[in-house]
Amino acid sequence: MSFAQVTSQVTSQVTCPYCRSESAEGALVCASCGRDIAVPATLLAERDDLLRKREDLRDELKRARDEIEAIMRRRKSR
């Protein structure tokens, strides 16, 4: 076995989130515990969309907090 083959085998492993054993990248089920480990592309896209929405909500919340602080400072200065 060549060094390139060994390197590609080492780098093309994925860790099972359930039993923490290594399986081949692209495997649908864990070689050790047999549980599903493949993540559908639609689920990844949904996750990315939710992460973007979370960031948008955090930005909106920060703007609202800043606005409330400004209102409170104006009321105190009266």
Side-chain angles (χ1 to χ4, degrees):
M1 186 177 290
S2 73
F3 178 74
Q5 289 172 324
V6 171
T7 304
S8 70
Q9 286 180 349
V10 171
T11 58
S12 64
Q13 297 289 310
V14 65
T15 303
C16 173
Y18 303 105
C19 71
R20 309 302 296 164
S21 68
E22 296 291 321
S23 294
E25 186 174 350
L28 301 178
V29 295
C30 175
S32 179
C33 70
R35 294 183 77 172
D36 291 340
I37 57 174
V39 179
T42 55
L43 186 57
L44 293 174
E46 183 180 353
R47 179 205 59 190
D48 293 342
D49 185 47
L50 289 171
L51 290 172
R52 279 190 295 278
K53 287 179 181 180
R54 180 183 70 179
E55 285 305 310
D56 291 344
L57 288 171
R58 285 181 174 168
D59 293 342
E60 186 178 340
L61 181 58
K62 182 176 181 346
R63 286 191 301 273
R65 285 180 176 155
D66 292 344
E67 187 177 331
I68 289 171
E69 283 182 27
I71 291 169
M72 297 297 278
R73 282 191 298 263
R74 284 192 299 250
R75 284 188 179 179
K76 286 183 180 180
S77 66
R78 289 184 187 179

